[in-house]
Amino acid sequence: RSQAEANRLARYDSLTGLANRQEMQLALEKALDDISPASPEAALMLLDLDRFKAVNDTMGHPVGDELLKQVSKRLFRVVGDHGMVGRLGGDEFKVVIPSFANTKKLAELGHDIISQLSHPYMIDGITLTIGCSIGIAVAPQHGSTAEELIRNADLALYAAKADGRGVHRFYEREMHAGAKHRKRLEDDLRNALTNDELHIAYQPQVSTTSEKI
């Protein structure tokens, strides 16, 4: 029993009972290995809860933990037999969907997940409402390795959050170019700070009626 419990803890998240990060990585790698003419695609969804941090900060971690448990149950129920659901940590979740990569159906599933997770939650007599953003990448067109698929689903998730949250986005090639541009801009700003190359220009505001600054 002790060995069985150790094996369970090594594979599943202790809070929610969902598969943990390591188990989800294995599931994704297996889904990619199983791609064949009969099952030509697989999909990965990365989910991030919107406004969860505010709940944790204001209501406390026990309420946050209970909220994560309820979210996990809803997510598990919505995904059903379509794929495997796991928690990566914090408010991040992953869904691996083998042999089910029809874009329209994935979009419908993404919409259903967002809709279900956005319904109010009741915890200790308090009604809480959060949201969910989803990034989706499909193999092999968005990546043939687990690392590529995770990176591109993460870029799609970033785009979903940038588009106002509460939406799902599929990976597009332009997202990678945007990420490289942001990284280059960040590096340039760090170098500019180090080399004291930034200065502030004050632009006076002048009243057109009195001509006073």
Side-chain angles (χ1 to χ4, degrees):
R1 286 198 301 269
S2 177
Q3 185 62 47
E5 179 63 10
N7 289 336
R8 188 188 69 80
L9 292 174
R11 299 176 58 195
Y12 296 97
D13 177 54
S14 58
L15 177 66
T16 64
L18 297 178
N20 63 17
R21 181 184 293 270
Q22 291 78 15
E23 191 73 4
M24 292 304 294
Q25 180 72 15
L26 293 174
L28 177 58
E29 291 172 356
K30 184 179 187 306
L32 294 176
D33 288 341
D34 289 345
I35 288 179
S36 66
S39 178
E41 295 177 309
L44 171 66
M45 289 183 169
L46 291 183
L47 293 77
D48 202 70
L49 301 182
D50 302 327
R51 302 185 299 279
F52 174 77
K53 186 177 185 301
V55 172
N56 235 7
D57 292 345
T58 58
M59 307 300 296
H61 289 283
V63 171
D65 287 349
E66 179 59 31
L67 180 56
L68 288 173
K69 290 178 184 178
Q70 293 192 24
V71 166
S72 299
K73 289 178 181 178
R74 291 189 190 184
L75 181 58
F76 188 82
R77 186 170 61 248
V78 175
V79 174
D81 296 333
H82 292 312
M84 184 173 180
V85 180
R87 178 179 175 229
L88 303 182
D91 62 343
E92 297 177 292
F93 296 83
K94 177 191 282 189
V95 180
V96 174
I97 306 173
S99 311
F100 178 77
N102 178 285
T103 302
K104 183 180 178 181
K105 290 183 179 180
L106 285 173
E108 290 174 353
L109 179 59
H111 180 271
D112 289 345
I113 290 173
I114 292 169
S115 175
Q116 288 298 316
L117 298 192
S118 299
H119 287 167
Y121 299 80
M122 181 65 70
I123 300 175
D124 294 338
I126 301 170
T127 302
L128 301 172
T129 304
I130 58 172
C132 173
S133 300
I134 304 177
I136 308 172
V138 180
Q141 53 263 49
H142 297 158
S144 56
T145 67
E147 290 73 21
E148 288 177 333
L149 215 60
I150 291 170
R151 180 197 67 197
N152 292 339
D154 198 44
L155 287 172
L157 176 58
Y158 183 93
K161 287 185 169 291
D163 286 347
R165 303 172 184 262
V167 296
H168 68 270
R169 290 290 178 265
F170 285 88
Y171 169 75
E172 297 176 1
R173 195 177 300 274
E174 295 77 18
M175 294 175 182
H176 189 59
K180 290 176 68 175
H181 174 73
R182 288 191 299 274
K183 179 66 169 63
R184 187 165 60 248
L185 178 61
E186 182 181 331
D187 291 342
D188 287 345
L189 286 170
R190 290 185 187 278
N191 290 332
L193 284 169
T194 301
N195 299 328
D196 196 26
E197 294 173 344
L198 295 177
H199 72 278
I200 300 175
Y202 291 94
Q203 180 178 349
Q205 295 183 7
V206 182
S207 168
T208 56
T209 54
S210 64
E211 296 185 3
K212 287 185 179 181
I213 295 176

